[in-house]
Amino acid sequence: MIRLVAAQERTISELAAPFAISLAGVSKHIKVLEGAGLIDRTVIGRTHWCYLNPASMQAASKWMSFYEQLWEMQFDALERALGQDEE
């Protein structure tokens, strides 16, 4: 769903279309993404439009990047340790 709203604003129905889950299930998922600050929603009449919150996505990306570097160092150390066992 993040990928879909990253391309352009989407309605709840448009977000639900590619998935084999109910509209209620999609709505709950959207609420979780909203709660995380990744998606914002605007209501126009009875239509709910969802769009990406780029500032939150940037912060999430920065956070994940930190942990990606941490895990890369851990995997490198593990690889070195396993390589020493082979010798």
Side-chain angles (χ1 to χ4, degrees):
M1 289 185 195
I2 295 288
R3 188 178 300 148
L4 292 172
V5 295
Q8 69 183 50
E9 292 181 1
R10 307 273 181 169
T11 65
I12 300 287
S13 297
E14 289 172 336
L15 290 172
F19 303 100
I21 57 175
S22 68
L23 208 51
V26 170
S27 186
K28 287 180 183 180
H29 189 75
I30 294 298
K31 286 179 185 177
V32 170
L33 294 173
E34 279 183 294
L38 301 174
I39 289 180
D40 290 322
R41 183 189 330 209
T42 301
V43 181
I44 301 173
R46 294 178 63 174
T47 305
H48 293 237
W49 289 91
C50 299
Y51 55 96
L52 188 67
N53 182 334
S56 291
M57 288 299 294
Q58 187 176 22
S61 178
K62 187 176 178 180
W63 182 84
M64 287 184 280
S65 176
F66 171 79
Y67 285 99
E68 178 183 19
Q69 291 172 7
L70 178 70
W71 280 105
E72 285 295 325
M73 290 186 309
Q74 296 297 323
F75 286 132
D76 290 344
L78 176 61
E79 186 176 36
R80 285 190 302 274
L82 292 174
Q84 290 174 359
D85 288 345
E86 293 175 2
E87 293 175 1

